Amino acid sequence: MTTQTILPVDAQLLSELSQSSGEPGWLKDSRLNALTLAAGLALPKLEKTRIDRWNVNTYGSYKASQAITALSEAPASVAALIKDQEEGSLIIQRNSSAVYVRLAPELAAQGVIFTDLQTAVKEHGDLVQRYLHKAVLPDEHSIAALHAALWNGGVFLYVPKNVIIETPLQAVLLTDDAEAAFVPHILIVAEANSSLTYVDNYVSDKTEAGLHNGAVEVFVGAGAKVRYATVHQLGEDTTDVTYRRAIVENDGTIEWIVGEMNYGDTASDTKSVLKGNGSSSDAKVIAVGSGAQKLSYTTQAQHFGKNTPSDMITRAVMRDSATSIINGITKIEKGATRADGQQTEKVLMLSPKARGDANPILLIDEDDVTAGHAASVGQVNYEQVYYLMSRGISRHDAETLIIYGFLAPVVSQIPLEGLRNQLQSLVERKLGQ
């Protein structure tokens, strides 16, 4: 069955909005072509998930927010996330547009570009056009097409060849107006032998239904290293659909750290395309579901190059009546000799009504490779609970220790202390502790 795609805007209005924003002609044409595509494409097909029953049509309209000149003027809902960032590199998006952009002067002197994507298309149009929508393709499905047509705000990060950035660059993306479109696009380009860490947080503060349709594109040059960390903590009234893609060249490395801490229905797809020989991918995903959430998490590694290792680890905890579908997909193409694809998906259920489904998938078209997977779904081991209680620990504390022990293999490997502490706090909050 194909569900008719409801277009949230017509072509004339989209064209007028692009022109009034001062966008170059190539971008206006890109938006209009994507809108045409969206009308004829179906929603993405998610394993055992009826996304057509989700709130995937409430886009709202483009509403620019008032810029701020100091972090003290930032909304209270993001204050804790930007503490002590006055001298750092930071972008804040509020609803449809960026309200604060700062790049450390020493990085600007090295040729680094860090700004909102809407500004980048005007100031660095040729560079943006070379990469925009080349990893997340508009013709994948209607969600991707509508994103390409309607994206706003966003982040553009460009790191030149041989530039090593030690300090993380950060972004906070806030939606607090249900009538405002929230469709940020993150585009990162790391040239050969460069290195960077990028961290972002998605936050909501509203009580009406809304939608985040997000896309992330990362291009990792030869010998470059990119660490991408993201935490989504959107409220129960916000549906979150996010597609992340990385294209990795010879000897390049992509590391994904994903914290799925939303309270509403969520679908995310994180994929590394190991294009070059010696390229590698490491993905760590931690998720907590609560209430009546419907969750779909997919992590993928597609191997084209020779000698390409990939590792994917997902740990999810489900409570109340939350349900989750967790997919791990390792695809090794013909010719990708000596590739090594490993994956682990584990789900811990804290309630008889909670549901988890872990699906490890290996698709291998080459003989000279190594691949493996592990998956488990189960409830708290009450023998462990009773053992801890016999040592004088309360039932509540015993269950807490078991849950944290379950998540520890992922959390302990996160190399950013601030992010580890943030995830720990969010896990405690989602578990009602």
Side-chain angles (χ1 to χ4, degrees):
M1 182 182 71
T2 301
T3 302
Q4 180 67 35
T5 298
I6 301 173
L7 297 180
V9 64
D10 62 39
Q12 181 177 350
L13 183 59
L14 184 60
S15 178
E16 292 173 354
L17 179 60
S18 180
Q19 288 180 320
S20 66
S21 299
E23 294 180 346
W26 65 264
L27 180 54
K28 183 185 75 170
D29 293 341
S30 172
R31 290 187 184 278
L32 292 175
N33 290 338
L35 188 67
T36 300
L37 275 176
L41 292 173
L43 288 166
K45 295 180 180 179
L46 304 182
E47 184 78 18
K48 300 179 183 178
T49 302
R50 292 291 303 272
I51 193 173
D52 56 299
R53 295 179 178 176
W54 293 13
N55 170 36
V56 291
N57 296 313
T58 309
Y59 278 88
S61 57
Y62 181 87
K63 296 174 68 174
S65 298
Q66 183 68 37
I68 62 175
T69 57
L71 294 187
S72 59
E73 303 172 19
S77 51
V78 303
L81 300 174
I82 59 175
K83 186 179 179 181
D84 302 324
Q85 287 298 309
E86 287 81 1
E87 302 302 319
S89 299
L90 174 68
I91 292 175
I92 301 175
Q93 175 171 339
R94 187 173 189 178
N95 299 311
S96 304
S97 64
V99 297
Y100 181 87
V101 177
R102 185 184 190 278
L103 173 62
E106 61 271 19
L107 296 183
Q110 297 180 73
V112 175
I113 302 171
F114 185 56
T115 186
D116 64 284
L117 188 56
Q118 286 186 288
T119 296
V121 296
K122 302 171 188 175
E123 299 180 355
H124 310 281
D126 291 343
L127 185 57
V128 173
Q129 186 179 10
R130 191 185 313 163
Y131 294 99
L132 185 64
H133 307 318
K134 299 300 192 297
V136 180
L137 304 180
D139 61 1
E140 289 188 27
H141 41 67
S142 64
I143 295 286
L146 285 173
H147 175 90
L150 302 173
W151 69 263
N152 51 43
V155 173
F156 179 64
L157 171 56
Y158 172 81
V159 181
K161 182 178 179 180
N162 298 324
V163 172
I164 308 297
I165 302 177
E166 302 290 348
T167 305
L169 300 98
Q170 300 191 53
V172 178
L173 302 104
L174 167 68
T175 171
D176 61 358
D177 183 346
E179 297 180 355
F182 184 58
V183 195
H185 188 100
I186 313 301
L187 178 58
I188 297 176
V189 179
E191 295 285 11
N193 300 313
S194 63
S195 178
L196 67 96
T197 296
Y198 167 84
V199 181
D200 62 25
N201 272 270
Y202 290 75
V203 186
S204 66
D205 183 13
K206 60 188 179 185
T207 57
E208 298 178 50
L211 169 67
H212 166 242
N213 177 351
V216 174
E217 299 183 295
V218 182
F219 295 87
V220 184
K225 297 181 179 179
V226 174
R227 176 183 293 154
Y228 189 107
T230 182
V231 178
H232 288 228
Q233 46 179 316
L234 300 172
E236 63 181 339
D237 298 301
T238 303
T239 299
D240 184 359
V241 182
T242 303
Y243 285 84
R244 309 180 187 97
R245 298 285 187 270
I247 310 296
V248 190
E249 302 293 344
N250 291 345
D251 300 313
T253 299
I254 177 69
E255 179 181 359
W256 299 102
I257 302 170
V258 180
E260 299 283 8
M261 299 292 156
N262 290 328
Y263 287 82
D265 294 338
T266 302
S268 75
D269 188 312
T270 304
K271 181 178 182 179
S272 299
V273 179
L274 301 180
K275 179 181 177 183
N277 296 333
S279 56
S280 63
S281 170
D282 183 288
K284 303 179 183 71
V285 180
I286 180 173
V288 178
S290 60
Q293 280 184 281
K294 305 282 191 299
L295 308 170
S296 175
Y297 305 128
T298 298
T299 311
Q300 303 186 57
Q302 186 174 17
H303 299 246
F304 287 97
K306 305 177 189 300
N307 297 293
T308 50
S310 70
D311 192 26
M312 302 181 288
I313 301 176
T314 301
R315 293 282 174 110
V317 177
M318 297 293 115
R319 60 174 296 201
D320 305 323
S321 58
T323 61
S324 63
I325 306 295
I326 298 174
N327 300 310
I329 303 174
T330 301
K331 179 71 167 72
I332 301 180
E333 303 290 351
K334 184 67 176 175
T337 55
R338 295 182 296 282
D340 183 2
Q342 305 294 328
Q343 56 170 287
T344 303
E345 296 85 35
K346 294 188 176 182
V347 185
L348 182 65
M349 296 178 292
L350 306 184
S351 162
K353 294 183 179 181
R355 293 291 182 268
D357 192 349
N359 305 305
I361 302 169
L362 300 179
L363 305 172
I364 301 174
D365 293 330
E366 179 58 56
D367 295 328
D368 184 15
V369 301
T370 304
H373 64 76
S376 68
V377 177
Q379 296 183 331
V380 172
N381 186 327
Y382 285 100
E383 289 185 0
Q384 295 177 344
V385 175
Y386 294 145
Y387 174 81
L388 291 172
M389 290 175 65
S390 71
R391 295 298 186 269
I393 299 174
S394 69
R395 176 182 291 273
H396 175 272
D397 290 344
E399 292 181 344
T400 299
L401 287 172
I402 292 171
I403 293 167
Y404 291 158
F406 173 78
L407 297 174
V410 177
V411 176
S412 64
Q413 292 184 48
I414 296 174
L416 304 171
E417 182 180 3
L419 187 61
R420 281 200 309 272
N421 294 338
Q422 181 191 0
L423 282 174
Q424 186 80 6
S425 175
L426 290 172
V427 168
E428 290 175 359
R429 188 170 72 184
K430 284 219 72 179
L431 294 177
Q433 299 170 350

